[in-house]
């Protein structure tokens, strides 16, 4: 006789932390003074908590900073020590999908300029999750490489997109080459 693991009851064990996260998020948003409805959606094994609110822009914050902070807090509060916990992502007003689309467009536009001119392009400073997306998108483009550049005054890092093996040597020192952060 062989031991076979018991199947999860239609992801019931996995949904418990998601439902807990949804309830905690609702309470956090309420304590912040906002009204919102939270919808839970599963996509490719990842759970999305989609926040619907008349004050969506305030929940997103400048360049998504409030949304990122909420997500970080929620993950820390609900997934502490939970092994095999499902990945949970927050979104407000489809911000993440639109932002991802814009980042991909920015990355591809920069690669086109580099491939046509042979000169490096430095993108605006951005948070780590956005830089990771840029690195990932451009990893698939032949003829270009990406380098995260150290910030000049302790701010956000930028990315230099340059021809493979090329680039200017004077300027801020690269922190890493072609590796996502």
């Amino acid at each position: 006789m062989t031991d076979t693991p018991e199947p999860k009851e239609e992801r019931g064990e996995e949904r418990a932390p998601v439902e807990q996260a949804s309830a905690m998020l609702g309470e956090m948003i309420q304590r912040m003074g906002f009204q919102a409805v939270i919808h839970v959606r599963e996509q490719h094994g990842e759970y999305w908590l989609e926040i619907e609110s008349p004050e969506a822009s305030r929940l997103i914050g400048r360049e998504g900073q409030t949304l990122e902070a909420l997500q970080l807090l929620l993950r820390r509060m609900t997934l502490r020590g939970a092994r095999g916990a499902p990945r949970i992502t927050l979104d407000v007003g489809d911000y993440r999908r639109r932002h991802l689309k814009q980042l991909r467009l920015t990355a591809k536009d920069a690669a086109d300029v580099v491939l046509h001119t042979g000169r490096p392009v430095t993108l605006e400073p951005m948070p780590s999750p956005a830089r990771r997306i840029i690195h990932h998108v451009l990893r698939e483009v032949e003829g270009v490489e990406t380098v995260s550049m150290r910030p000049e005054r302790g701010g956000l890092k930028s990315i230099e997109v340059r021809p493979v093996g090329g680039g200017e040597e004077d300027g801020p020192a690269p922190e890493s080459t072609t590796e996502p952060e």
Side-chain angles (χ1 to χ4, degrees):
M1 182 174 185
T2 61
D3 289 328
T4 57
E6 292 290 324
K8 288 185 180 178
E9 291 182 30
E10 296 187 30
R11 298 191 177 264
E13 290 175 26
E14 191 173 274
R15 272 194 76 87
V18 175
E19 295 302 328
Q20 178 187 12
S22 178
M24 289 180 118
L25 178 61
E27 185 176 339
M28 286 170 46
I29 291 172
Q30 182 181 19
R31 287 179 183 246
M32 291 171 65
F34 299 111
Q35 292 183 354
V37 175
I38 300 166
H39 304 280
V40 178
R41 169 174 66 91
E42 182 185 8
Q43 181 179 354
H44 308 295
E46 181 174 339
Y47 288 91
W48 288 74
L49 299 182
E50 297 176 343
I51 305 165
E52 185 181 324
S53 173
E55 298 180 274
S57 64
R58 292 183 64 201
L59 287 168
I60 294 168
R62 185 172 178 248
E63 297 182 11
Q65 290 177 341
T66 304
L67 182 60
E68 287 296 327
L70 280 171
Q71 180 165 302
L72 176 66
L73 283 172
L74 187 67
R75 284 181 177 171
R76 299 250 189 229
M77 291 168 57
T78 60
L79 303 178
R80 265 190 317 236
R83 287 209 166 139
R87 181 165 172 80
I88 298 174
T89 302
L90 302 186
D91 199 4
V92 178
D94 216 19
Y95 170 79
R96 291 207 191 268
R97 185 188 60 75
R98 289 181 286 121
H99 186 62
L100 179 60
K101 183 177 180 180
Q102 182 60 46
L103 285 171
R104 287 180 174 153
L105 181 63
T106 298
K108 289 180 180 181
D109 287 348
D112 287 344
V113 169
V114 170
L115 291 172
H116 285 90
T117 66
R119 298 182 53 89
V121 171
T122 302
L123 302 177
E124 292 294 317
M126 60 187 79
S128 177
R131 289 193 312 273
R132 196 173 299 119
I133 291 166
I134 299 286
H135 286 300
H136 179 74
V137 167
L138 294 183
R139 189 178 336 158
E140 307 298 321
V141 178
E142 285 188 41
V144 299
E145 63 185 5
T146 57
V147 179
S148 285
M149 306 302 285
R150 289 190 187 114
E152 289 185 23
R153 287 177 238 100
L156 296 172
K157 297 177 190 175
S158 59
I159 292 179
E160 182 177 84
V161 182
R162 60 186 180 193
V164 172
E168 297 174 4
E169 295 303 319
D170 51 310
E175 184 160 290
S176 65
T177 57
T178 64
E179 291 298 318
E181 300 171 34

